[in-house]
Amino acid sequence: MKKLNLVIVGGGSTWTPGLLGSLVKFKEEFPLKKVTLYDIDAERQSHIGRFGEVLFREQYPDLEFNYTTDKDEAFNNVDFVFCQMRTGGLPMREKDEKVPLSLGLIGQETCGPGGFSYGMRSIRDMIELVEDVRSRSKDAWILNYTNPAAIVAVALNMKFPDDHRIINICDQPVNLMKSYGKILGKDYHDFEPKYFGLNHFGWFTNLYDKDGKDLLPELREIILKQGFAPEDAEQRDASWLETYGMVKDMLEDFPDYLPNTYLQYYLYPYYKLSKLDPNYTRANEVMDGREKRVFAECDRIAEQGTLDNLEMVHNDAHADMIVELALSINSNLRKTFIIIQENNGAVNNLPDDAMVELAAAVGSNGCEQYHFGNIDTFYKGLIENQYAFEKLTAEAYFENSYQKALQALTLNRTVNSAKKAREVLDALIEMNGSYFPELR
Ligand code: NAD
Ligand code: G6P
Ligand code: MN
């Protein structure tokens, strides 16, 4: 089998060590010649890079590994690009969360005004990344986790409509399946899911096992009785446990389908607002927790020159998903993944250009969604409203349109009031400075 060249963009991401661990885990099926980390922040990336040197020396000795801030070194002659950048870093995430909260609105990384703000920042860097890759490796597959994946997907589809080797993904459906697997005592890889919606805005309608039995009714009963927790609950911060816990509330109100956890911000905005601390948000939790831990452990392992903490390369569903996706493409396995793709009739009664999150078979010719059919009025209403928000956000970016930005935020279920939308938009423009395009 041909050995591949891979670049990880956002090499300094807190998720990179786990990802490197998954590359080791899949080295037989997904053999790599060269792995390069690329980041714009050399210092931050070097901590992960020095850890990677130890990991690969011990566990993947024939692999060429390096880390760089040089685009030619990173993007020449690559087969796969895994992307997980954060424009503005965690300090800007903190502002995305705190500025809306200071105005009495939900402050969240990818939902509502925070997601809008992050989206406006991410679009420019993601377009630049695609251009940087395409000018050097025109056939590389670009698998992208960068958030807000919903808005990034819409914007990239507007900018590069014919590029079918960009796949935007999210780990939340697979995280949920892993949690369902724990409840049911089954491996999530054996589930065949049926799922519809937008990114961070979708529902499982069925969860078939190997024999074709739908496990969703049983799962619903268990969650309604016992509540719901992430598979890796012991390693999660309190806010994530609360987030998973609300799946039960959503099921009590809307028992048809199993909801994505992010729907709680749209279905219970007032309640969620009352639970969020405007002075200490999820960004603070991450900066005080995961970020510190990951960098301290990378430094320690680099210092001692040998790997002793397997926790660091603990293969979570997040890291495995992107590697398994690349493997399915490379070996044309046509396995099922829940991914973000242009609708094009897969859901009959949603717009063709919506970037929907659906189950798809993924192989060497790309993604082929499973046809979904029609969705019911309640879900269609919610999705169309949210899709209008996403589309107007991307259009506001491309057209430098204050008016479209205002429309987007007014439509968002976490805002609703045009006066509030204007207030938060003005605050976000001010806070983002040159990260934002000029909105006129
Ligand atoms: P992080 O800030 O720790 O890491 C991001 C890295 O990207 C930093 O090292 C930063 O220097 C780098 N970066 C910023 N701009 C860049 C650019 N233009 N080019 C290259 N590198 C750049 O953030 P994190 O918490 O590790 O998250 C990384 C990304 O992954 C975020 O976008 C996050 O939202 C996303 N994520 C997505 C999913 C999903 O389900 N889609 C899941 C987890 C994380
Ligand atoms: C899930 C979502 C991602 C999001 C992440 C945030 O995995 O699917 O889109 O970025 O959670 O996690 P954090 O721990 O950084 O709050
Ligand atoms: Mn996600």
Coordinates of all heavy atoms in Angstrom, one line a residue, residues 147 170-172 199-200 262, ligand 3:
N147 N -14.1 24.9 13.9 CA -15.4 25.4 14.2 C -15.5 26.9 13.8 O -14.5 27.5 13.6 CB -15.7 25.2 15.7 CG -16.4 23.9 15.9 OD1 -17.3 23.5 15.2 ND2 -16.0 23.2 17.0
C170 N -17.7 16.8 12.4 CA -17.9 17.1 13.8 C -17.9 15.8 14.6 O -18.4 14.8 14.1 CB -19.3 17.8 14.0 SG -19.8 17.9 15.7
D171 N -17.3 15.8 15.8 CA -17.2 14.6 16.5 C -18.4 14.3 17.4 O -18.5 13.3 18.1 CB -16.0 14.6 17.4 CG -15.9 15.7 18.4 OD1 -17.0 16.4 18.6 OD2 -14.9 16.0 19.0
Q172 N -19.4 15.3 17.5 CA -20.4 15.1 18.5 C -21.4 13.9 18.2 O -21.7 13.2 19.1 CB -21.2 16.4 18.7 CG -22.0 16.5 19.9 CD -21.2 16.3 21.2 OE1 -19.9 16.2 21.2 NE2 -21.8 16.2 22.3
N199 N -25.1 21.0 11.4 CA -24.0 20.7 12.4 C -24.5 21.3 13.7 O -24.9 22.5 13.8 CB -22.7 21.3 11.9 CG -21.6 21.1 13.0 OD1 -21.0 22.1 13.4 ND2 -21.4 19.9 13.5
H200 N -24.3 20.6 14.8 CA -24.7 21.0 16.2 C -26.2 21.3 16.2 O -26.6 22.2 17.0 CB -23.9 22.2 16.7 CG -22.4 21.8 17.0 ND1 -21.6 22.7 17.6 CD2 -21.7 20.7 16.8 CE1 -20.4 22.1 17.7 NE2 -20.5 20.9 17.3
Y262 N -26.2 20.0 21.5 CA -26.2 21.5 21.3 C -27.6 22.1 21.1 O -27.7 23.3 21.2 CB -25.3 21.8 20.1 CG -23.9 21.7 20.4 CD1 -23.1 20.6 20.2 CD2 -23.2 22.8 20.9 CE1 -21.8 20.5 20.5 CE2 -21.8 22.8 21.3 CZ -21.2 21.6 21.1 OH -19.8 21.5 21.4
Ligands
MN3 MN -18.7 19.7 16.7

